[in-house]
Structures are given as C-alpha cells and as structure tokens.
Amino acid sequence: MPRFSVIVPVFKVQGFLRECLDSVLGQSFDDLEVIAVDDCSPDGCGAILDEYAARDPRLKAVHLPENVGLGRARNAGLPHATGDYVLFLDSDDRYTPGLLRAVADRLDATRDPDILVFDHVRTHWWGRAGRSDAADLLEQAGADTFSVRERPEYLRLFLVAWNKAYRRDFFVGHGFAYRPGLYEDAPVTYQTMVTAERIACLDRVGVEYRQRRQGAITRTPGRRHFDIFEQYEGLFAYLAERPGLDWARPLLFERALDHMLFAVARPERVLRRDRKEFHRRIRAFYRRHVPAGFVPPPDSRRAEIRLLALVPHHRAHLWLGLWRRGGHAAGRKASRLRELLARQVKRCWYRLQLRRRLDPSLAVYSAGHSRAVNGDPLAIHARAAELAPHVRGVWVVQPDAVDQVPPGTDFVTTGSWRYYRVMARAKHWVNDCNWAGDLVKRPGSVHVQTHRGTPLKYMALDLLDRPGARHGANVRGMLRRSDRWDVSLVANRHSEEVWQRAYPCHFASLRSGSPRNDVLVRGGAERGAALRARLGVAESETVVLYAPTLRDYRKGRHVWRVDLENLAASLAPGHRLLVRLHPGLARHHERGLVLRDLHRRGALSDVTDERHVEDVLLAADALVTDYSALMFDYALLDRPIVVHADDWAAYRAARGAYFDVTAEPPGHVTRSDEELVKTFTSGAWRDAESARLRAVFRERFCEYDDGRAAERVVRRVLLGEAPRAAGDDDAGAVVRIPGAVDRSARLPEYS
C-alpha cells in the first residue's frame, strides 16, 4: 500500500499534461501511485496517459466512456486509490520539487491527521505571482493540529481540492464526493474541514497553480456560474443531516455569501445581463439559510451582507451594484484626497523648516532604503556615540519597518511631521542608498554615501548598455540624487574607480574601508558564537554559508542555482548549511517553495532574516556564493570561499561585470551541482590552491579595511578632523567637506 494516491483528472490539457505528470512522478519521495482519469478528452491526452502507464507502473490510466466533468472525474479515481492519503491535482498544474517528501515528514510529525493543507503559487503565462492570501495562516499554524471549531479562521484557506492531503479512510469513510458543475470544490472543502477532528498545515508552496491565458472555466463568463447556488445548497443539506455540526452553520453561511458576492462582482464570471438574477438568487439563499441571530464578522464583506438583510428583494441588486461602484470608489477617492492634502500640507511645513538654521549636532541615518537599521550606517552611528556624543543620531525608517529599530534608538518614520523637521535641519546625512528625491540638499549639509559593498556587477551609468538590468530603473534620476553626495566611502582602489565612473557626480572619495566590516577585521568571535548558539550549532560543527545574489535575466530576479536539499545531504556529518538570500528576496514567494520547509525540517538553517549579516559571516567556516558582494566582505576573515558560477555567461551578459570573477576568484570555481558537492566531499574547498587564490583576492580588494573605518568616518565627517586615509603613504585621498577644519589636507593615519 503506497503512502500517497495522487488523482489527476484529465481533459483537454495535452500541452500541459506531461509537465504535470513529470512533477509528480519525479518527486524525491516515490512511495506513491498516480491515478490519471481521462475524462473522455477529445485531444491526445488519453494516448499520453497510456504512454506513461506503460513506462511507469506507478501510474494507472482510467479512461471514462463519457465526459462527466472535473468533480465526478475525481470521484471516478477514488475507487482505484489504495494509498494512506489521497491528493488531487489538476492536470494543468504541477507539484513543486520535494513537496511529497515534505508532506510525508509533516504527516509523520503530526501523527497522521485527517487533513494536511499546504500552500500554492499562481503561475501566469508571463511568470509567477506571489504566494496565496493564506500564507500567513499557514505560517501561524505551527506544528500542532487543530479543528476548525477551535480555529474557525482556517475556513478562509483557499477553496480547492488540490492544496490538501486527505487521509483516505477519513475521506472515503464519510462518503465525501464532488458534485457536477462549477464550484465543486467548495462544498467538499467545507464539509471535510468542519468534519475533521485533526487538521495540520505545511507552510510550503506545493502547487504551481497555472492561470491559463485562455480556456479556464472560472474565467469564462456565462450561465454556468449559477452552479454556485446548487453547490452551496448541497453543503447546507449536508449540515441539515448532521445536527452535531450546527456550530458551523454561521461560519459556513458567511463563507457562502462571501463566495457568491465575490463571483457576481467579477465580469469574467457573471455577465452584466445576468447580475440581477444572480443577486436575486443570493438574496433567496440568504433568506432560506440565515442562522438565528446571525451577525457578519468584522473581517467579512459585512456591509454587503447587511444590505442583503435590509434592502427589499427587488432592489438588492441595485443597492449592491451602487455600493461596489459608488461606495467603494467614493471611499477610495476620499481617502486618496486626504492623503494628497496631508502630503501637500507636510511639504509646506517642510519648506518652512528649511528656513531654519542647520543643526550641526544632528545626524540622520538610513539603511536598506529605510527598511533596516544595520550595515555601514549603523557602524558609524555606534562609533559616533563614543567619539562624538554631542552629535545626536536619528534613524529614518519606513512605517512598516519600525520593528527593525533597536530599543532606545531615536527614529522618525518617513512622511511624518517630525521626519520633515529632522530632515530639514540635520547637517550630517549617512545612507547606504540614495535619499528620497523630494528632500532638499542644503548648503552646508554633509551627505555621506557608504554604498553596500564592493561592486562586481555594473551600477548606475554603466547600466545604460544593459537594458534588461536597468528595466524600471531611472538612471537619470539616480544620478540626480547622487549629485547630493559629498563623501563616498571606498574600501579599495577598485571601488574608488568604479564609483567615480558609474556616478559622475561632485563627490570626493574617502579611503576609509567599510565601517560595517570593522568587526570582521578586529575580531568579533563572540558575535559569531552567539549566532551559532542561537541556531543550535555545536562548536565542533563546520558551518557552510550559501549566499546567492539577484538575477536580472529572470522576472522577479530570483532563480535557484543550487539544489539545496542535495547539497545539505551531501555535506559530511558534522557540517551545517546556512542559507542567506539577498535582502531583496526576503519576502519573495520563491522562499516558500523550498527554503522555509528545509529549514523547518532541519536540513539547513535559513538565516535570511538575521538583521546583521556580519554575525552570519562570523559564524560561517566557509562561504559558497555566486556573484554576491558578500565575497569581498568575507575575504577579510581569510576563510575558504567557493564561487558557484554555473550561469556566469548569462549573468554577465544581462547585468555586466567589472571583472571576470571566474578568472580572478577568491577560491575554487564550480559550474554544476556535482562539482560543488565534490569540492566539499573531496576537501578541495580548503586546500592550498584555495588559500593561494584567496590571498591574491584579499590583496586587491581588502586594501583599506584595517578595523578603523567607522572611527575614520566619524573623525573626518562629524568632528571635522583631517586624518590620512587607510593604506600606504601614497593612498591619501583629497576630501572636501563643507564645514571641515581643513578642506584639502591629506588624511593622516590614526595611531
């Protein structure tokens, strides 16, 4: 008896069917059977199923004599299922790699619940969209099981058959069956959810839900959408036969009305000429099934549901239409007008504040487009608190990033009244990105651009011959904002040359080194040890960090270039794999496809959300990266680096690079998963050649990092001293800073 029976109803999908079947049969967990039901498909689907059945004994092809529709085709597959759990998959969708292994592990961990729910991602013809609206619910569920009576919010999970694994004895034993017609998923989903005693969730994207450009039934308007009423009548008939489920009637009543109101508001479903009748049917359903004392919950379509109760039957569709077209639009318009008015008033306030004198004891800091409190600005801020305590530091953060601010740290949120007052008066501005375009650069203010690492890929002006990489980027506006820089921090001569070429603006380079890397140079072993302890890494374990960068040649800028599960499994005992995605991918739906689940299963540790990347670097014994700027920072630790460059040609063609990192690498270069695994299993990752390559790389790119970068910036910029830059006697850079004591002096070395 297999662990899983996957039932795939098939009809007119010959262009997608092979991809669907391969995604199931190619799973790493192979204790399964596939029951593919040919719903009398008029194209070549039947022949494809027979071909697969002849090749793989795990697939059984069931050919129906007549077309019965999606729901009844699923029913037809059930008698052939012998697995412990039954899963349904539509034949134009596909499973993500590793899904069934993750499902099996979660079922074992939760002791075989009645239902296991997992997530999906919509795949449009132009690319993937984001995760489902239920992603937060799945994440909040944790590892425990529950019932809907205990947690009714889980009735809001997506109403489909294919995002669940049903215990076969539970599903068959209760006689659940799909009805003919559209919206067949709704009654069965709700019946199973309210009947199940133990439900578990898996916070993993398991299905790529294809949004077909043409041919999708739910996007084809017509009378078939009236099937929704018969489906819900069947659901409430089911409840009427089971008095023990009376507690669920108000919950399901609200869900049914929500679904109907959703459908009638979609022009791709209900035709305009049919809306009056559709509204009349909704109203009739309401009067027939409304529970005594029913009150719509606050998070529902509360106003529309109340209209169904208050408005006369023959006027319901008019009032509901007016509500949608007028009420919502008017509300949005009024809200927009209020926002515009408030913005204009604040801008007037800002212009008034600009007339006040600059405050020489006020400095503002920002990092990661005001979404973080870390990096070079944080290192400078911390050093300023010691060397220049009279200079008050205020952080600028986005309203949704307030949780990033450490306790006791002064901050303002962008767009607030205090934000404009502080920005108008601060003399010192420190940022690793550009400031907002509507802020004014006042004479006498000092803007310090720290950047975000040593550049490998093309930046700013150099992107002009890379149309794909600069898609959506306003290079002209970027340079206009960069004109406000007074000081550009550099860690090596390479960076100095690149920034002056890519940003042809009126700034001076300060050969300071990277302030955030002071801790790497001066020794921060305790910070690395603290992170290892928090992750449960033993002192004797070898930590391998994988840190990929963005891909400009892929929509969404993310693509997995390494088989993480295979790499983690291939590392020798006593090794731990950490993975840190680029900050721009922290909220990307791709993270939920594999990474989060592997983290929960203990195969690796996802450290993307660690606030300080320096701690992650200190905790790692080796770095695997592709083209991330982290390689330049990690080289300061003089620890092994492996460059995985399997798509270097594509990356360089799309984005451009200032040098060939495969020809001048900081360590061994791999170009396939097999080569990467072999590099670690053979021990080559830390051999003499790796050390030689790293030494050459360090000599070129770690030139000015001596552990005193933050001090150098504070003394030169905030205190107006004239020290010499890091490096040898000929490395001094002329830095002109408004208000500095000596505007042209070379920067002497600190003792």
Side-chain angles (χ1 to χ4, degrees):
M1 179 184 298
R3 186 60 164 158
F4 298 126
S5 295
V6 182
I7 298 175
V8 183
V10 178
F11 183 73
K12 293 180 68 173
V13 288
Q14 63 180 2
F16 310 110
L17 183 56
R18 294 180 186 275
E19 189 176 11
C20 171
L21 298 177
D22 289 342
S23 76
V24 182
L25 297 171
Q27 291 280 310
S28 58
F29 184 90
D30 61 359
D31 186 14
L32 60 93
E33 64 180 2
V34 178
I35 295 96
V37 182
D38 173 16
D39 190 16
C40 201
S41 184
D43 56 8
C45 288
I48 294 174
L49 295 182
D50 290 338
E51 173 192 333
Y52 272 75
R55 192 169 65 219
D56 194 324
R58 294 175 299 167
L59 186 143
K60 179 177 183 179
V62 178
H63 298 279
L64 301 182
E66 61 180 0
N67 178 254
V68 297
L70 178 60
R72 288 190 288 180
R74 289 178 185 145
N75 297 339
L78 272 173
H80 301 275
T82 62
D84 298 329
Y85 278 81
V86 174
L87 297 90
F88 300 99
L89 178 64
D90 288 356
S91 50
D92 54 351
D93 298 336
R94 61 183 178 183
Y95 281 158
T96 59
L99 168 68
L100 294 184
R101 167 61 65 186
V103 170
D105 290 347
R106 179 53 60 89
L107 291 175
D108 291 342
T110 52
R111 301 185 307 281
D112 287 358
D114 298 322
I115 305 173
L116 176 71
V117 188
F118 44 87
D119 204 2
H120 71 278
V121 62
R122 293 177 185 266
T123 303
H124 301 271
W125 60 270
W126 64 83
R128 285 197 185 112
R131 292 188 67 182
S132 73
D133 294 337
D136 290 341
L137 281 175
L138 294 172
E139 184 175 3
Q140 295 164 13
D144 297 331
T145 59
F146 58 89
S147 68
V148 165
R149 191 166 191 173
E150 298 167 336
R151 304 185 71 174
E153 66 271 21
Y154 282 85
L155 281 179
R156 296 179 179 272
L157 293 171
F158 198 39
L159 271 179
V160 288
W162 41 256
N163 64 350
K164 302 172 185 70
Y166 295 105
R167 188 164 53 81
R168 185 169 62 90
D169 290 345
F170 164 76
F171 196 90
V172 176
H174 282 84
F176 298 123
Y178 293 94
R179 297 167 61 90
L182 292 188
Y183 304 100
E184 78 292 336
D185 290 359
V188 173
T189 295
Y190 287 140
Q191 289 169 14
T192 57
M193 293 291 283
V194 299
T195 304
E197 296 179 0
R198 297 177 61 245
I199 301 171
C201 290
L202 174 63
D203 182 20
R204 175 177 178 137
V205 173
V207 175
E208 293 192 40
Y209 175 32
R210 189 186 301 274
Q211 304 292 281
R212 292 163 65 181
R213 187 167 177 266
Q214 294 180 342
I217 298 175
T218 55
R219 292 175 173 268
T220 305
R223 298 285 300 182
R224 293 191 63 187
H225 291 278
F226 281 79
D227 291 350
I228 194 171
F229 298 107
E230 294 302 320
Q231 299 290 3
Y232 279 107
E233 288 294 343
L235 172 61
F236 276 80
Y238 175 85
L239 295 177
E241 296 171 357
R242 292 162 177 81
L245 295 178
D246 284 347
W247 60 269
R249 292 180 67 87
L251 300 174
L252 296 179
F253 180 71
E254 182 273 328
R255 290 286 77 206
L257 292 178
D258 181 272
H259 198 180
M260 295 171 187
L261 291 168
F262 172 87
V264 74
R266 298 298 183 275
E268 70 273 16
R269 299 195 180 198
V270 181
L271 293 168
R272 186 179 185 87
R273 65 174 181 264
D274 292 330
R275 288 180 189 169
K276 181 176 181 179
E277 181 183 352
F278 205 95
H279 280 126
R280 187 162 58 244
R281 296 283 297 273
I282 298 175
R283 171 70 175 167
F285 180 89
Y286 181 98
R287 293 195 303 176
R288 188 158 51 249
H289 295 293
V290 60
F294 172 73
V295 177
D299 58 346
S300 68
R301 300 173 190 268
R302 193 169 187 172
E304 293 183 61
I305 292 175
R306 282 180 169 172
L307 282 175
L308 293 171
L310 299 174
V311 177
H313 175 263
H314 61 287
R315 297 288 184 183
H317 77 285
L318 297 177
W319 281 96
L320 286 168
L322 287 172
W323 169 262
R324 290 195 191 91
R325 293 191 301 272
H328 289 179
R332 288 194 299 269
K333 186 174 181 181
S335 176
R336 178 65 176 161
L337 288 174
R338 285 194 297 270
E339 290 177 6
L340 291 174
L341 179 60
R343 191 177 304 166
Q344 291 300 324
V345 172
K346 287 177 181 177
R347 285 176 177 171
C348 292
W349 163 260
Y350 179 49
R351 285 194 288 269
L352 289 174
Q353 296 298 310
L354 288 171
R355 298 179 182 180
R356 303 177 66 183
R357 289 188 302 173
L358 283 174
D359 185 346
S361 62
L362 179 59
V364 289
Y365 298 87
S366 177
H369 300 284
S370 297
R371 295 192 176 277
V373 179
N374 58 21
D376 292 315
L378 180 61
I380 296 170
H381 181 211
R383 199 72 173 121
E386 302 171 8
L387 301 177
H390 64 285
V391 178
R392 181 165 53 94
V394 179
W395 277 84
V396 177
V397 296
Q398 297 282 356
D400 60 353
V402 170
D403 62 332
Q404 297 291 314
V405 183
T409 302
D410 194 7
F411 71 94
V412 295
T413 57
T414 55
S416 65
W417 293 95
R418 186 168 179 246
Y419 164 76
Y420 285 112
R421 183 170 72 248
V422 167
M423 301 310 292
R425 301 205 60 202
K427 177 176 180 177
H428 308 288
W429 299 41
V430 182
N431 203 338
D432 61 6
C433 302
N434 264 317
W435 294 95
D438 62 341
L439 296 175
V440 175
K441 169 72 164 75
R442 296 184 64 180
S445 65
V446 183
H447 287 218
V448 178
Q449 172 59 230
T450 71
H451 304 286
R452 305 183 77 183
T454 295
L456 169 62
K457 60 188 177 185
Y458 278 5
M459 307 293 288
L461 192 66
D462 292 329
L463 292 176
L464 290 180
D465 67 345
R466 293 291 189 277
R470 68 181 176 88
H471 178 70
N474 182 356
V475 175
R476 184 186 298 273
M478 191 184 305
L479 296 180
R480 188 166 54 248
R481 289 189 291 274
S482 303
D483 280 331
R484 299 180 296 192
W485 301 353
D486 293 298
V487 181
S488 168
L489 306 188
V490 297
N492 45 62
R493 297 172 201 257
H494 164 78
S495 296
E496 185 173 355
E497 294 172 7
V498 168
W499 298 139
Q500 291 181 358
R501 166 185 164 180
Y503 296 93
C505 306
H506 300 290
F507 60 82
S509 296
L510 176 58
R511 295 174 178 176
S512 59
S514 299
R516 71 186 182 282
N517 288 337
D518 286 349
V519 67
L520 304 183
V521 178
R522 304 183 72 170
E526 68 285 349
R527 289 177 58 172
L531 176 58
R532 289 171 69 108
R534 193 162 69 249
L535 296 174
V537 179
E539 291 185 14
S540 60
E541 283 189 276
T542 299
V543 173
V544 178
L545 170 64
Y546 174 55
T549 192
L550 304 169
R551 296 300 194 276
D552 293 290
Y553 62 76
R554 175 67 67 87
K555 182 178 175 62
R557 308 182 73 192
H558 179 275
V559 57
W560 292 114
R561 304 304 313 180
V562 169
D563 185 338
L564 297 178
E565 191 165 11
N566 181 55
L567 176 60
S570 300
L571 293 176
H575 287 64
R576 175 75 68 90
L577 178 63
L578 308 186
V579 178
R580 184 178 179 88
L581 299 181
H582 187 280
L585 299 174
R587 300 182 182 181
H588 200 283
H589 62 268
E590 288 280 358
R591 189 177 173 192
L593 288 175
V594 176
L595 190 53
R596 284 182 179 172
D597 182 62
L598 291 176
H599 173 83
R600 288 191 182 87
R601 289 160 52 193
L604 52 77
S605 295
D606 178 4
V607 292
T608 304
D609 293 331
E610 289 294 327
R611 294 187 179 183
H612 305 295
V613 70
E614 300 82 26
D615 296 347
V616 179
L617 298 181
L618 286 163
D621 298 299
L623 171 68
V624 178
T625 186
D626 34 42
Y627 324 114
S628 170
L630 286 181
M631 73 174 76
F632 301 98
D633 304 331
Y634 193 74
L636 291 166
L637 294 171
D638 199 16
R639 298 175 186 174
I641 301 173
V642 176
V643 176
H644 187 65
D646 68 321
D647 65 338
W648 173 242
Y651 181 88
R652 195 173 190 181
R655 180 63 190 241
Y658 292 112
F659 68 95
D660 186 350
V661 73
T662 64
E664 305 170 81
H668 288 295
V669 177
T670 61
R671 300 182 186 276
S672 68
D673 283 332
E674 292 74 17
E675 287 184 14
L676 179 59
V677 168
K678 185 177 179 180
T679 299
F680 280 94
T681 56
S682 67
W685 61 282
R686 53 183 174 185
D687 62 9
E689 177 63 9
S690 172
R692 185 193 69 79
L693 292 169
R694 187 167 66 254
V696 175
F697 192 84
R698 281 166 49 83
E699 183 177 358
R700 179 180 180 186
F701 295 110
C702 301
E703 187 175 3
Y704 303 147
D705 278 304
D706 58 1
R708 296 191 295 274
E711 177 183 350
R712 193 168 287 114
V713 175
V714 171
R715 291 191 182 279
R716 185 68 182 99
V717 177
L718 300 187
L719 298 178
E721 298 178 7
R724 186 173 61 80
D728 57 36
D729 292 339
D730 296 326
V734 176
V735 181
R736 301 182 184 278
I737 301 177
V741 175
D742 185 348
R743 298 193 178 197
S744 61
R746 288 182 176 270
L747 307 175
E749 181 78 2
Y750 283 113
S751 60

